[in-house]
């Protein structure tokens, strides 16, 4: 199990996502039919009180799948690129 998860487990218990089927947050795709599921998951996240903690965890952990903190894997990849200093 990922150690980052255990160190910050308290916020997980407060997540709005806990009231939904976990599959909603892991759509097959963020395009085509999966886009609707991704948008539903992001809507749940936007109402969540621990959204920022969730997003920070996903960015630190390099989470490559699922909707975390109202972001898709593609959006997080973009965010990580923006946060990393440019190679010299």
């Amino acid at each position: 199990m990922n150690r980052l998860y255990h160190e910050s487990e308290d916020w997980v218990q407060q997540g709005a996502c806990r009231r939904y089927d976990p599959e909603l947050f892991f759509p097959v795709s963020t395009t085509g039919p999966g886009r609707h599921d991704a948008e539903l998951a992001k809507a749940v996240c936007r109402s969540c009180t621990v959204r920022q903690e969730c997003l920070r965890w996903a960015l630190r952990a390099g989470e490559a799948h699922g909707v975390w903190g109202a972001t898709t894997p593609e959006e997080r990849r973009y965010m990580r690129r923006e946060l990393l200093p440019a190679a010299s």
Side-chain angles (χ1 to χ4, degrees):
M1 174 84 43
N2 188 325
R3 184 163 184 217
L4 283 172
Y5 178 80
H6 289 295
E7 291 176 357
S8 58
E9 195 169 331
D10 291 343
W11 64 264
V12 175
Q13 301 303 319
Q14 300 169 37
C17 57
R18 294 184 57 83
R19 295 186 295 274
Y20 294 86
D21 183 342
E23 289 189 23
L24 174 65
F25 300 90
F26 292 90
V28 174
S29 170
T30 56
T31 61
R35 183 177 185 165
H36 178 71
D37 288 343
E39 289 303 320
L40 286 175
K42 288 169 72 171
V44 171
C45 292
R46 284 190 288 271
S47 71
C48 185
T49 61
V50 294
R51 175 181 171 195
Q52 293 303 315
E53 291 89 340
C54 179
L55 177 56
R56 276 193 296 271
W57 180 85
L59 289 170
R60 274 196 330 265
E63 185 57 62
H65 304 285
V67 174
W68 296 83
T71 62
T72 64
E74 295 82 11
E75 292 165 336
R76 290 191 302 278
R77 277 194 296 276
Y78 178 78
M79 292 171 88
R80 282 191 293 272
R81 278 195 302 265
E82 292 297 309
L83 294 173
L84 294 175
S88 300

